[in-house]
């Protein structure tokens, strides 16, 4: 039952997304133009840690922008009708999964654009697989936290402002861990060296998903 | 009898805090050596003036001073004369065999003994120490006096342990109370619990602000000069614990903004309770995980000794734990006042 | 009204702090002399001011309730 509802929900989200292509293209444009502005002001960053931090900050802002809209459509009557039919737990898991896929796509895109526009000399030692793992784990915790907090923020009038105020302080631990982790990957670290980062980030992700799963029904019930 | 039963913990809080204040202001700091001039020794006779802190030397008491070149060998000071209560002069006859390294200095009297870290630097370089330079170490002071340990970086500011640190303990306890009542609210949807959670956040924020300001002042005047790990002179030190505290403050300020941006009372309670639980758990995770992966100025982290090491005879512990309990009870007292007032306010609105 | 007073007070403190900095770092000196005991004094003062601040807030709330209950 749960799985079936989940699949239906994801299908529904996808068709909705395809109908509103302007939304996804606006986010892509946002990312590209942010990186372009950064590249005009930096051109080349010799310090890899600064390169890395800038990359994560751009990811943080673009994901906030992308996910802030995930509970915005819920005010229309048709949506409301749909959501009364399904279990709120299915809804939050579906939203988190959907946003996770979306954010991984966006992050990969921004990585490609970022490396094209902003060069750094120190990137030759980079362990790409480890960096990719850091990006996946980091963006999982970013997107799941942002999804849950955007559900909270959707209850207020000033959605996006409230979202960043509420989410940024709780995001700091995962952002810092991801930055340290990907720094290690950039400096050519091995998987054994990154052990604690992998464990901590996965634990945080698991915790966020469990918490959202437990708390979301309270938000949804009117 | 009923009043005693209801209010004993308030009295306990007051007693513990009076004890804390009394202890932290009246008990003197243990004697220590502050500086020695000249700071380097030459072959032959050297006159060295030692400046101590709280040492209270008197002319007629026996004083032993020795320079330690390794665990076994000591170079004793002779012709010790007391200049004033905090200064003594001694002469050291250096044989042609002092190693070129930073040396430690030992000071013993019948009342106390102290050991200075890294004060005298010697310049002559010869391998083996001559036999006549050796002297035996006198016995340590027999009775351990009641005093607060003195350390090079901290000095008198070690007393802040009783004021700055309990602010954080109190904040954490008060915020846990808020967390607990948010859970209770979500289980019962009783607005009384929501009011307690809200007031607890307000009190917690007050203690967070106090902790931040006191920590900032303390850090500025102790760590700004000595540490090799971090060199700063500003009011803000980039330290894990400080950042954790700042993040906690930000989270609960956001909580208040969230409450203010919602109108309807039940929805306000529900949404903010969800955020409170979500944020509190993640904050705990942050506080537990992050110090493990980065360095900190705080005791026990990043090469700094823990307070347990500062405090071998655990004098500080005798007052630190009562201080923590006292401040926490005071925080709970403040919370109960706020809670009662908000209940009254609510009753008035209902009428 | 109250915010203005707080602002003025802060401005005064900042002014005197800067003025004392110009005169050979007087504030820093006071904090470093005699085993930095003044740091402890400053911290105890900060906590005291915080508690007074709490009392003032409580006082205001109680007066508000008194006013309303008289109606």
């Amino acid at each position: 039952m749960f799985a079936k509802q989940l699949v239906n929900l994801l299908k529904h989200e996808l068709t909705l997304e395809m109908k509103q292509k302007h939304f996804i293209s606006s986010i892509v444009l946002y990312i590209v133009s942010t990186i372009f502005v950064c590249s005009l002001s930096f051109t080349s960053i010799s310090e890899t840690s600064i390169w890395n931090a800038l990359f994560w900050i751009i990811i943080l802002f673009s994901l906030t922008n992308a996910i802030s809209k995930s509970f915005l459509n819920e005010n229309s009557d048709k949506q409301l009708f749909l959501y009364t039919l399904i279990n709120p737990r299915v809804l939050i898991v579906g939203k988190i999964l959907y946003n996770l896929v979306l954010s991984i796509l966006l992050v990969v895109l921004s990585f490609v654009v970022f490396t094209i526009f902003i060069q750094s000399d120190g990137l030759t030692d980079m362990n790409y697989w480890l960096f990719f793992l850091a990006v996946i784990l980091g963006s999982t915790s970013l997107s799941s936290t942002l999804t849950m907090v955007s559900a909270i923020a959707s209850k207020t009038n000033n959605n996006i402002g409230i979202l960043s105020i509420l989410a940024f302080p709780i995001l700091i631990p995962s952002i810092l861990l991801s930055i340290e982790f990907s720094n290690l990957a950039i400096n050519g670290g091995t998987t054994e060296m990154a052990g604690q980062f992998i464990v901590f980030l996965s634990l945080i992700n698991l915790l966020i998903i469990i918490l959202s799963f437990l708390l979301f029904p309270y938000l949804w019930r009117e | 009898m009923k009043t005693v039963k209801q209010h004993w913990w308030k009295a306990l809080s007051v007693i513990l805090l009076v004890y804390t204040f009394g202890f932290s202001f009246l008990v003197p700091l243990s004697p220590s050596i502050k500086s020695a001039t000249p700071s380097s020794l030459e072959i032959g006779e050297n006159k060295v003036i030692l400046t101590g802190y709280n040492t209270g030397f008197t002319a007629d008491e026996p004083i032993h001073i020795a320079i330690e070149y390794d665990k076994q060998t000591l170079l004793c000071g002779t012709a010790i004369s007391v200049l004033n209560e905090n200064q003594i002069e001694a002469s050291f006859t250096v044989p042609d065999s002092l190693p070129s390294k930073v040396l430690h200095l030992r000071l013993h009297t019948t009342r106390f003994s102290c050991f200075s870290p890294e004060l005298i630097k010697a310049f002559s370089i010869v391998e083996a120490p001559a036999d006549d330079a050796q002297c035996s170490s006198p016995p340590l002071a027999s009775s351990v006096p009641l005093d607060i340990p003195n350390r090079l970086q901290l000095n008198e500011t070690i007393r802040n342990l009783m004021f700055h640190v309990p602010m954080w303990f109190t904040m954490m306890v008060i915020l846990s109370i808020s967390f607990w009542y948010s859970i209770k609210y979500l289980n019962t949807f009783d607005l009384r619990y929501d009011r307690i959670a809200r007031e607890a956040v307000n009190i917690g924020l007050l203690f967070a602000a106090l902790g931040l300001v006191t920590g900032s002042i303390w850090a500025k005047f102790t760590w700004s000069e000595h540490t090799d790990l971090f060199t700063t002179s500003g009011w803000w030190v980039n330290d894990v614990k400080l950042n954790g505290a700042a993040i906690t403050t930000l989270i609960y300020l956001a909580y208040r903004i969230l409450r203010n941006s919602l109108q309807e009372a039940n929805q306000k309670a529900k949404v903010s309770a969800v955020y409170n639980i979500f944020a509190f758990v993640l904050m705990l995770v942050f506080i537990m995980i992050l110090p493990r992966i980065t360095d900190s100025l705080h005791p026990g982290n990043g090469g700094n000794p823990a307070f347990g090491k500062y405090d071998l005879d655990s004098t500080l512990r005798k007052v630190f734990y009562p201080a923590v309990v006292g401040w926490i009870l005071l925080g709970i007292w403040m919370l109960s006042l706020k809670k009662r007032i908000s209940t009254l306010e609510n009753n008035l609105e209902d009428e | 009204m109250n915010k203005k007073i707080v602002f003025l007070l802060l401005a005064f403190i900042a002014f005197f702090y800067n003025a004392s900095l110009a005169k050979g770092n007087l504030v820093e000196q006071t904090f470093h002399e005699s085993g930095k005991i003044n740091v402890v004094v400053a911290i105890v003062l900060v906590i005291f001011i915080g508690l007074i601040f709490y009392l003032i807030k409580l006082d205001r709330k109680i007066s508000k309730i008194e006013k309303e209950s008289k109606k």
Side-chain angles (χ1 to χ4, degrees):
Chain A
M1 189 61 200
F2 193 91
K4 203 181 162 195
Q5 276 194 343
L6 192 64
V7 170
N8 281 336
L9 180 76
L10 286 177
K11 264 187 199 160
H12 172 80
E13 288 280 333
L14 202 65
T15 45
L16 214 67
E17 196 72 67
M18 287 299 114
K19 269 186 203 160
Q20 306 175 311
K21 284 210 182 73
H22 66 94
F23 165 65
I24 189 96
S25 50
S26 78
I27 291 294
V28 169
L29 196 62
Y30 178 88
I31 291 174
V32 172
S33 53
T34 314
I35 293 174
F36 187 63
V37 168
C38 288
S39 84
L40 287 182
S41 33
F42 285 103
T43 29
S44 154
I45 301 174
S46 51
E47 193 77 30
T48 46
S49 58
I50 297 176
W51 183 89
N52 186 33
L54 188 65
F55 175 64
W56 278 101
I57 286 173
I58 288 172
I59 285 184
L60 173 65
F61 278 93
S62 27
L63 288 192
T64 311
N65 228 318
I67 295 174
S68 66
K69 293 178 179 73
S70 56
F71 284 91
L72 212 61
N73 298 332
E74 271 57 349
N75 296 329
S76 64
D77 297 336
K78 194 179 156 194
Q79 295 281 329
L80 212 62
F81 176 67
L82 179 87
Y83 288 132
T84 47
L85 289 179
I86 61 168
N87 184 343
R89 295 210 156 121
V90 175
L91 182 61
I92 188 70
V93 172
K95 286 276 185 189
I96 285 178
L97 275 180
Y98 182 77
N99 282 334
L100 177 62
V101 174
L102 178 72
S103 56
I104 285 175
L105 285 178
L106 289 177
V107 167
V108 168
L109 173 86
S110 33
F111 178 69
V112 171
V113 179
F114 198 75
T115 39
I116 290 171
F117 277 104
I118 302 179
Q119 280 88 35
S120 179
D121 310 326
L123 295 181
T124 43
D125 306 338
M126 188 155 140
N127 183 342
Y128 278 93
W129 283 114
L130 205 60
F131 189 82
F132 189 65
L133 186 65
V135 163
I136 297 280
L137 284 175
S139 54
T140 310
S141 71
L142 288 194
S143 64
S144 47
T145 314
L146 282 167
T147 310
M148 182 60 192
V149 177
S150 77
I152 294 174
S154 70
K155 301 283 167 189
T156 65
N157 299 325
N158 176 14
N159 193 356
I160 200 161
I162 289 280
L163 173 65
S164 28
I165 291 172
L166 293 180
F168 285 2
I170 10 185
L171 279 177
I172 291 168
S174 18
I175 280 276
L176 286 183
L177 274 171
S178 316
I179 288 179
E180 295 264 318
F181 186 5
S182 49
N183 245 339
L184 186 75
I186 286 173
N187 295 328
T190 54
T191 321
E192 290 89 68
M193 285 155 81
Q196 62 170 357
F197 291 115
I198 298 174
V199 171
F200 285 155
L201 267 176
S202 321
L203 275 180
I204 288 185
N205 288 341
L206 195 69
L207 198 69
I208 292 167
I209 291 169
I210 291 174
L211 276 176
S212 321
F213 192 75
L214 290 177
L215 292 173
F216 187 73
Y218 292 105
L219 270 184
W220 206 240
R221 221 183 278 153
E222 281 300 329
Chain B
M1 202 56 219
K2 203 185 159 203
T3 41
V4 174
K5 243 183 197 170
Q6 266 182 347
H7 302 291
W8 64 270
W9 54 278
K10 296 172 189 170
L12 180 65
S13 151
V14 171
I15 291 167
L16 288 176
L17 286 179
V18 167
Y19 169 68
T20 305
F21 274 85
F23 193 107
S24 16
F25 284 112
L26 296 178
V27 174
L29 224 58
S30 65
S32 69
I33 302 169
K34 245 166 93 183
S35 63
T37 44
S39 59
S40 61
L41 295 177
E42 285 156 9
I43 297 171
E45 195 171 308
N46 292 276
K47 286 233 175 262
V48 176
I49 295 177
L50 285 178
T51 313
Y53 190 84
N54 268 357
T55 38
F57 297 121
T58 49
D60 49 348
E61 70 178 330
I63 299 170
H64 295 270
I65 308 174
I67 292 174
E68 188 180 68
Y69 4 118
D70 49 54
K71 286 277 177 286
Q72 282 88 41
T73 333
L74 291 171
L75 178 67
C76 279
T78 50
I80 297 164
S81 62
V82 174
L83 301 179
N84 58 38
E85 58 180 11
N86 280 328
Q87 276 189 322
I88 43 174
E89 193 183 39
S91 79
F92 293 93
T93 314
V94 179
D96 49 355
S97 60
L98 211 55
S100 171
K101 64 171 189 184
V102 174
L103 296 174
H104 296 282
L105 215 133
R106 276 188 191 183
L107 180 74
H108 297 277
T109 73
T110 45
R111 289 175 295 122
F112 62 88
S113 53
C114 56
F115 182 77
S116 83
E118 296 153 21
L119 277 179
I120 301 269
K121 179 142 175 76
F123 284 128
S124 341
I125 315 165
V126 176
E127 314 287 281
D131 287 341
D132 61 338
Q134 292 184 5
C135 68
S136 59
S137 165
L140 296 171
S142 52
S143 64
V144 180
L146 179 74
D147 52 19
I148 295 174
N150 191 348
R151 291 293 131 170
L152 201 61
Q153 282 178 38
L154 294 169
N155 303 340
E156 299 274 4
T157 64
I158 201 167
R159 297 170 198 275
N160 286 344
L161 185 69
M162 277 56 125
F163 305 110
H164 162 72
V165 185
M167 293 296 120
W168 297 117
F169 281 79
T170 314
M171 182 198 80
M172 282 316 291
V173 168
I174 300 278
L175 291 180
S176 317
I177 291 174
S178 168
F179 171 68
W180 176 244
Y181 277 98
S182 285
I183 293 178
K184 266 185 131 171
Y185 172 76
L186 285 187
N187 278 332
T188 57
F189 296 108
D190 185 343
L191 279 174
R192 265 186 313 169
Y193 297 138
D194 176 59
R195 281 202 298 276
I196 298 175
R198 181 191 69 199
E199 294 304 340
V201 165
N202 288 340
I203 299 284
L205 273 174
L206 175 70
F207 277 96
L210 290 180
L212 276 184
V213 175
T214 55
S216 165
I217 295 172
W218 193 7
K220 167 135 175 113
F221 295 105
T222 48
W223 287 320
S224 55
E225 349 155 39
H226 281 293
T227 339
D228 304 330
L229 280 170
F230 302 86
T231 41
T232 45
S233 56
W235 292 98
W236 188 262
V237 191
N238 197 9
D239 173 69
V240 178
K241 289 228 166 69
L242 196 54
N243 286 345
I247 288 164
T248 314
T249 316
L250 283 180
I251 286 176
Y252 284 96
L253 285 175
Y255 172 89
R256 282 180 50 164
I257 288 175
L258 178 68
R259 284 194 79 96
N260 289 337
S261 57
L262 290 161
Q263 260 82 44
E264 205 265 313
N266 282 311
Q267 198 189 33
K268 187 187 261 192
K270 204 159 48 183
V271 173
S272 58
V274 168
Y275 182 70
N276 194 0
I277 296 168
F278 194 64
F280 184 82
V281 174
L282 288 180
M283 184 191 82
L284 275 190
V285 170
F286 175 70
I287 287 173
M288 281 188 290
I289 283 182
L290 221 68
R292 282 165 207 230
I293 59 164
T294 35
D295 244 349
S296 172
L297 285 167
H298 277 80
N301 300 91
N304 271 333
F307 273 108
K309 279 188 200 158
Y310 284 148
D311 181 29
L312 295 170
D313 51 7
S314 75
T315 342
L316 277 185
R317 234 165 271 193
K318 266 181 230 152
V319 68
F320 178 63
Y321 295 133
V324 168
V325 176
W327 283 111
I328 287 174
L329 287 179
L330 186 78
I332 293 175
W333 190 357
M334 288 162 74
L335 173 60
S336 81
L337 287 184
K338 275 267 176 123
K339 183 204 118 192
R340 278 151 64 190
I341 285 181
S342 72
T343 314
L344 277 181
E345 225 172 11
N346 193 61
N347 291 347
L348 275 177
E349 272 165 27
D350 285 350
E351 276 168 18
Chain C
M1 180 60 192
N2 257 307
K3 273 182 187 162
K4 266 184 195 165
I5 291 174
V6 170
F7 181 75
L8 274 178
L9 208 69
L10 280 179
F12 264 112
I13 291 171
F15 176 77
F16 281 119
Y17 180 69
N18 280 330
S20 60
L21 279 185
K23 275 187 219 155
N25 243 333
L26 200 72
V27 170
E28 303 249 327
Q29 267 175 27
T30 14
F31 279 116
H32 282 303
E33 75 195 9
S34 66
K36 299 177 190 164
I37 187 69
N38 287 333
V39 177
V40 185
V41 174
I43 280 172
V44 172
L45 265 183
V46 164
I47 292 174
F48 184 69
I49 291 169
L51 294 182
I52 293 289
F53 173 75
Y54 167 80
L55 277 183
I56 292 172
K57 267 183 93 178
L58 211 63
D59 188 313
R60 273 210 204 139
K61 262 199 167 170
I62 291 177
S63 346
K64 215 175 97 187
I65 291 174
E66 278 174 345
K67 238 190 214 168
E68 273 179 40
S69 62
K70 268 179 198 164
K71 269 178 200 169

